[in-house]
Amino acid sequence: MSPVLRLLLRRLGISLIVLVGVSMLIFGIARVIPGDPARIALGPNATAEQIEKLRTDLHLDEPIYVQYGQFLKDLARGDLGVSLYTNRPVTTDIAEFLPATLELVIVAGIMMVGIGLPLGIWSARFRGKAADHLIRLLSLLGVSAPSFVWAVILMLLFAYFLPIFPIAGRISDVYEIQRHTGFLLIDTLVAGNFKAFGDAAWHIILPAFALALSGIGQAARLTRANMIETYDKPYIEMAQAYGFKARRIANRYAFKPSLIPSLTVIGLDFAAMLGNAFLVEAVFAWPGLSRYGVNVILRKDLNAIIGTVLIISATFLIVNLIVDLLIAFLNPRIRYSQRGAS
């Protein structure tokens, strides 16, 4: 068995255990939140018989371990129950709202990598010069405030005072796009409607940038620090002594060893954006899963709470698994350690 395959199986096993632990934890927490979910769902005018019937349908009159067993049995069939908030299957709600959040987070992740890493490389290459000081200042600004603060500031600047970007939503109402994947950037291209694609891309820039700003700053600062540490290595000094160009030394010899620690943090930041996206979605009226999750928590919608948390947790674990495999691919020592363990 190859070291990478062994690493993959090991991480999958750990991820499965973590997911079961998360399901038990969120199931228990959802049951002890104050308030009767049946009464909240049916409203103040519901009769006692109606409330009691809904409690029976939700198995709320049974011991918690019986409820959890029923939940696992339904989960094995791909059934997460019915949402009391939308009166639809939770899987249907997740299939509708999750692509919007994933699209936002993926674009934000691309911005984080595409802007943060080059800024860090540039800052290290021109250490002590004006460009370095400027990048460090901007990076510090990026990490100094949470995403929702940047969302409000960017909206006021570039959607209200300077109406360059749209203020809310995923696409203008004039476009009717048939949804195949739920990712509007993909569905518009599939439909061959490039004007709609441009409109959807224009809508996503501001919320994605607000979500990515903190990660961009962190990636730039970390990459700079790692690059400077790598620049002090003897083989870099030797390359400089041989007269190699500064750009070649930075891109070919210094960047790859510096990328591994940055990649770990970027992966964690990327996964964390899934949970942090709800405030940005609220500011920009973005119809995503994070915003849906907040609404179902406020209504104590048990099935929807558990389904949303499980999906976000599973996505978090998948992202971390991909990052682990990528680091193992870039760092031969990890592959050798797996081979030694076998």
Side-chain angles (χ1 to χ4, degrees):
M1 186 182 296
S2 71
V4 175
L5 182 59
R6 175 176 288 275
L7 177 66
L8 174 63
L9 293 176
R10 186 179 174 188
R11 291 289 190 273
L12 280 175
I14 294 173
S15 299
L16 186 61
I17 294 171
V18 171
L19 208 54
V20 171
V22 169
S23 74
M24 295 175 69
L25 185 65
I26 192 62
F27 192 89
I29 291 175
R31 259 57 183 178
V32 298
I33 296 176
D36 185 348
R39 177 170 288 282
I40 295 173
L42 295 174
N45 297 324
T47 63
E49 290 77 14
Q50 290 173 322
I51 294 172
E52 192 58 34
K53 182 178 183 307
L54 184 56
R55 288 180 57 80
T56 304
D57 293 341
L58 295 174
H59 306 285
L60 295 177
D61 53 349
E62 298 178 6
I64 191 168
Y65 62 89
V66 176
Q67 296 180 41
Y68 185 68
Q70 184 64 42
F71 163 74
L72 290 181
K73 193 184 297 182
D74 294 338
L75 183 63
R77 299 197 305 267
D79 181 9
L80 288 171
V82 176
S83 167
L84 302 178
Y85 170 47
T86 62
N87 290 320
R88 300 187 304 180
V90 174
T91 50
T92 303
D93 286 345
I94 289 174
E96 179 179 335
F97 294 114
L98 180 60
T101 295
L102 286 182
E103 188 173 56
L104 179 64
V105 170
I106 288 171
V107 173
I110 292 171
M111 287 181 175
M112 188 167 62
V113 174
I115 300 174
L117 293 184
L119 283 180
I121 295 171
W122 209 20
S123 182
R125 185 179 163 191
F126 296 101
R127 177 174 34 167
K129 297 183 179 177
D132 178 30
H133 295 311
L134 179 61
I135 292 172
R136 290 170 64 192
L137 176 63
L138 294 175
S139 302
L140 188 60
L141 279 175
V143 299
S144 62
S147 297
F148 74 93
V149 174
W150 286 119
V152 174
I153 293 173
L154 291 174
M155 173 183 275
L156 288 174
L157 286 178
F158 299 108
Y160 185 73
F161 294 116
L162 298 173
I164 301 172
F165 292 96
I167 202 163
R170 297 181 69 192
I171 194 168
S172 299
D173 295 336
V174 295
Y175 299 106
E176 291 186 4
I177 302 299
Q178 186 177 0
R179 302 195 177 192
H180 301 285
T181 64
F183 293 79
L184 282 184
L185 294 177
I186 296 176
D187 290 342
T188 49
L189 287 178
V190 171
N193 192 335
F194 296 105
K195 285 188 177 179
F197 172 80
D199 189 79
W202 205 240
H203 273 76
I204 203 171
I205 288 176
L206 216 53
F209 190 59
L211 190 61
L213 255 176
S214 178
I216 290 173
Q218 195 166 353
R221 289 162 61 88
L222 192 61
T223 304
R224 177 187 182 277
N226 293 330
M227 289 280 290
I228 288 175
E229 186 179 345
T230 307
Y231 269 123
D232 293 334
K233 302 284 185 183
Y235 69 91
I236 296 291
E237 294 176 356
M238 185 178 293
Q240 291 170 334
Y242 274 106
F244 289 175
K245 291 183 179 178
R247 177 181 292 182
R248 181 180 178 185
I249 293 173
N251 295 338
R252 180 169 294 185
Y253 303 114
F255 177 59
K256 186 176 176 181
S258 307
L259 178 62
I260 295 171
S262 302
L263 201 59
T264 304
V265 175
I266 288 172
L268 292 173
D269 281 350
F270 182 81
M273 282 195 294
L274 287 165
N276 297 333
F278 71 94
L279 286 171
V280 174
E281 291 184 356
V283 171
F284 288 96
W286 193 265
L289 185 67
S290 298
R291 191 175 167 209
Y292 168 79
V294 173
N295 288 329
V296 297
I297 289 173
L298 292 176
R299 289 168 172 78
K300 201 181 177 187
D301 188 345
L302 298 180
N303 294 331
I305 291 173
I306 297 169
T308 304
V309 172
L310 278 182
I311 291 298
I312 291 178
S313 301
T315 309
F316 186 95
L317 292 171
I318 290 170
V319 171
N320 276 288
L321 179 64
I322 294 172
V323 170
D324 284 344
L325 293 176
L326 202 53
I327 291 173
F329 176 76
L330 292 172
N331 190 352
R333 285 179 295 181
I334 294 179
R335 295 200 299 272
Y336 293 146
S337 67
Q338 292 296 317
R339 186 176 297 170
S342 64

